[in-house]
Amino acid sequence: MARKGGKKKRGQIRSRKKNGYHVMNQLNFSSRAQEKVYDKLAIEYVEQHLPKVMNIVPKEVREKRGDAPFNRPGKLYKENLDTVSTKDKYVTMAKTFIKWNVIHKGISSLGEINEKNTEEFFDTIAENTGGEGKDRYSKKTYDGYVDSVYKYFAAVSKNPEDALVPIEGREFGKAIKSSKKLYNQEFRDKMRGKIGDFSQDEVKRGTGYTDRQAKIILRQALKNDKYSTQEKLAVACLVYGTFRNSELLNSSADCFDSEAKTIRMTKYGMTKQDRPRIVLDVDKKVFDLLDQYQKETGIPPSEELFNNFSQDKVRALVKECCRDGKVKYSGVHDCRKAYVERTENALFKRALKGDLTKEEMVEKILQQVGVDPSLNPEKSPKDYAWKTLKDGTKKRYRTNHGKEAAPKEPKFTKEKLLEYPIENLIDLYVAEQLGHAKTSTNQEYRIKEQKEKRRAYIKELKAQRKGDPK
């Protein structure tokens, strides 16, 4: 971190985090030499290790191969190779982890970060987690640090040849062997356990809306004349369109296709981490309101529909609808939780009745991942096997490592997807609707009752298959 008022040199990382009340905001370098060590290690991490596990390509490489100026991926690299955005949670918190080790442990290389240091780092945060006061961390923030440090160990322990985004002529940092033993689920759970057991409500942003509550929120907007057509459209998009707050503000009429009942979020910078997606089977109410709004205003198709809105205004709008409908406000983002409940229940019920086939789900998924090449990349298949270690734990390893790569093939094909159980296809479909790269992220969007319903649906589906002679 550059000193206040000092001139920023090329390649130097300056933290944009403002001084705050929390313990990790009070980290101060004791000397300029210590500050230089941090700059060196932070840059080493984000340039040589982080791209091995995150989809990052430097601007200079994109230009050389003729990509568009803002082509995905590469969002973390802005003006040049050395300028790193600190907005991403994983980058910010991992840099804080490195900074703490430089200041308190005097490390001069990433390889010096060990288990003892890591435990002490989390002990420091755990002591300042929970309770009231501006200087206390929330359990959600603590959980974020655990995940970020886990991502750090994943990056530094990965071999360069296994990088997520291999770049010709560019070498990544060698795997740090001493960090490999810290990249495991057991150690992560141990760090997470330092603050004891905690409920999902203590970690996540809100309790979430049920499908019924989300519909009540929309009903208040539709029936009350105090809301404009534009405001009614905004609420409908949140309830039925899977929009995040920022995505809503970036949307325009040409994203909506009433005939196909879809919303395309493929414009650069529109979605989180710029991951494109298409939302299928959108409710007719959204398109009716959009048509009404266009007739009232004559807004051009390419112009942002909510250019006079801010994220705070969207929050205030949803809060007002909650107040009118006597629904507890749980944020804007939690409308997506209601969408998960509504969509999963409808699909599982159809599957149990036999009205939903694998072929139908596969067709939908291929339409989703076909909207952009980055969603269905071609990769060489990797063969894996399991081996039992001396302590009895099992570890997965590659059996074709070092051998000639097999021909590349799309990640998703009709043949591969048809091998999935239908409940897995439903998971994948919902993940793509929400813009998630992993189906496991869906779990965070299920309220407690929905988790129980889903388990019951899957149990019933498995029982049906077991009794089916086919």
Side-chain angles (χ1 to χ4, degrees):
M1 176 179 175
R3 289 182 178 178
K4 187 175 181 181
K7 186 176 181 180
K8 181 176 179 292
K9 297 179 180 180
R10 177 178 173 81
Q12 184 179 24
I13 291 181
R14 174 180 287 171
S15 174
R16 298 178 186 172
K17 185 185 292 184
K18 297 180 180 178
N19 290 333
Y21 297 98
H22 300 105
V23 63
M24 291 303 162
N25 291 101
Q26 309 301 327
L27 296 175
N28 294 310
F29 298 110
S30 61
S31 66
R32 178 61 180 159
Q34 196 179 61
E35 189 176 0
K36 286 183 177 180
V37 170
Y38 164 70
D39 284 339
K40 171 181 168 290
L41 298 184
I43 291 171
E44 177 186 340
Y45 171 62
V46 296
E47 289 185 5
Q48 297 183 28
H49 294 288
L50 191 62
K52 292 188 288 187
V53 295
M54 291 185 74
N55 213 18
I56 303 167
V57 177
K59 180 183 177 183
E60 60 182 23
V61 175
R62 298 200 310 268
E63 289 178 346
K64 186 176 180 180
R65 67 186 189 189
D67 291 345
F70 296 104
N71 188 50
R72 294 177 300 270
K75 195 171 182 182
L76 287 181
Y77 288 81
K78 298 219 172 171
E79 297 304 321
N80 55 59
L81 181 63
D82 300 321
T83 305
V84 181
S85 168
T86 60
K87 293 181 180 179
D88 188 275
K89 178 186 73 173
Y90 292 123
V91 177
T92 307
M93 291 183 169
K95 281 167 54 184
T96 301
F97 176 60
I98 295 170
K99 185 177 181 180
W100 183 91
N101 275 276
V102 170
I103 292 173
H104 291 284
K105 297 301 174 182
I107 67 167
S108 58
S109 68
L110 296 179
E112 294 176 52
I113 297 178
N114 55 34
E115 183 175 352
K116 183 180 178 181
N117 293 359
T118 305
E119 289 215 37
E120 191 174 328
F121 171 78
F122 281 109
D123 284 336
T124 302
I125 302 179
E127 289 170 3
N128 293 272
T129 297
E132 300 295 329
K134 293 182 178 180
D135 61 335
R136 308 299 293 177
Y137 282 113
S138 68
K139 292 186 177 181
K140 175 183 175 182
T141 300
Y142 181 91
D143 198 55
Y145 270 108
V146 173
D147 287 339
S148 300
V149 172
Y150 183 75
K151 177 79 75 173
Y152 163 85
F153 286 123
V156 298
S157 63
K158 199 177 188 71
N159 293 316
E161 58 269 25
D162 296 328
L164 181 65
V165 186
I167 302 173
E168 186 179 352
R170 176 169 166 77
E171 295 184 1
F172 295 117
K174 293 181 180 179
I176 299 176
K177 293 182 180 180
S178 60
S179 296
K180 287 189 176 182
K181 67 178 182 179
L182 300 179
Y183 175 50
N184 66 74
Q185 186 69 43
E186 185 178 345
F187 183 70
R188 179 165 72 167
D189 291 343
K190 182 181 178 181
M191 297 303 99
R192 187 167 277 149
K194 286 183 179 292
I195 58 172
D197 294 333
F198 50 88
S199 67
Q200 182 175 338
D201 292 345
E202 290 180 288
V203 180
K204 301 306 172 187
R205 69 190 78 205
T207 55
Y209 304 114
T210 64
D211 177 34
R212 178 176 175 276
Q213 288 174 325
K215 289 176 178 176
I216 289 174
I217 292 171
L218 177 57
R219 194 179 307 129
Q220 302 309 309
L222 295 178
K223 74 177 186 180
N224 200 321
D225 290 338
K226 70 178 179 180
Y227 298 110
S228 66
T229 303
Q230 185 187 33
E231 290 173 327
K232 293 175 182 179
L233 173 61
V235 178
C237 286
L238 293 171
V239 173
Y240 288 115
T242 77
F243 282 94
R244 298 178 176 95
N245 199 333
S246 59
E247 293 170 346
L248 181 72
L249 301 184
N250 290 329
S251 64
S252 53
D254 54 9
C255 298
F256 297 75
D257 187 335
S258 58
E259 292 185 7
K261 297 181 181 178
T262 62
I263 302 173
R264 294 177 68 92
M265 303 187 198
T266 55
K267 294 182 179 181
Y268 176 78
M270 182 176 181
T271 59
K272 183 178 180 180
Q273 296 185 350
D274 207 33
R275 186 184 191 276
R277 77 178 186 273
I278 183 171
V279 184
L280 308 179
D281 307 316
V282 180
D283 193 277
K284 186 175 180 291
K285 292 186 183 72
V286 174
F287 302 107
D288 289 343
L289 287 167
L290 174 61
D291 185 55
Q292 183 181 342
Y293 180 59
Q294 285 182 297
K295 288 178 179 177
E296 290 177 2
T297 62
I299 187 171
S302 60
E303 187 174 329
E304 291 177 349
L305 292 167
F306 308 100
N307 53 15
N308 58 329
F309 276 41
S310 66
Q311 291 199 27
D312 284 341
K313 183 174 180 178
V314 176
R315 294 186 190 101
L317 172 62
V318 175
K319 192 175 290 187
E320 182 70 15
C321 291
C322 286
R323 192 179 295 115
D324 291 342
K326 295 180 172 55
V327 173
K328 182 181 177 182
Y329 177 71
S330 186
V332 172
H333 198 82
D334 280 2
C335 291
R336 287 158 58 89
K337 293 184 179 181
Y339 180 87
V340 170
E341 177 188 338
R342 181 188 319 118
T343 304
E344 285 189 339
N345 287 348
L347 292 174
F348 275 118
K349 286 176 182 178
R350 286 187 59 199
L352 288 169
K353 290 179 181 179
D355 293 338
L356 182 67
T357 64
K358 281 189 178 184
E359 287 75 13
E360 181 181 341
M361 289 306 304
V362 168
E363 185 179 341
K364 289 179 183 291
I365 293 167
L366 290 177
Q367 184 179 353
Q368 290 172 321
V369 300
V371 76
D372 190 277
S374 64
L375 301 181
N376 194 15
E378 291 195 351
K379 295 184 177 182
S380 297
K382 297 178 181 178
D383 297 323
Y384 293 93
W386 293 88
K387 63 180 178 181
T388 304
L389 304 179
K390 291 182 179 179
D391 60 1
T393 59
K394 291 187 176 182
K395 184 178 180 180
R396 196 173 71 153
Y397 67 97
R398 284 179 58 181
T399 58
N400 62 350
H401 186 71
K403 299 179 182 178
E404 185 178 348
K408 290 185 176 182
E409 57 186 42
K411 181 180 179 180
F412 299 111
T413 64
K414 184 176 182 179
E415 293 73 21
K416 289 180 184 177
L417 291 172
L418 284 173
E419 294 178 2
Y420 288 25
I422 196 161
E423 58 266 26
N424 289 19
L425 294 175
I426 292 173
D427 274 354
L428 183 55
Y429 170 78
V430 171
E432 290 295 338
Q433 290 283 86
L434 295 173
H436 293 158
K438 297 180 179 179
T439 56
S440 57
T441 311
N442 294 352
Q443 185 71 354
E444 299 177 12
Y445 287 75
R446 298 183 183 107
I447 59 177
K448 183 179 178 181
E449 293 78 4
Q450 182 57 23
K451 290 177 182 178
E452 294 171 355
K453 282 183 182 179
R454 180 176 172 274
R455 280 194 290 267
Y457 284 138
I458 293 175
K459 185 177 180 180
E460 195 171 345
L461 280 170
K462 288 181 177 179
Q464 282 188 359
R465 286 199 294 268
K466 192 174 181 180
D468 192 337
K470 296 181 182 179

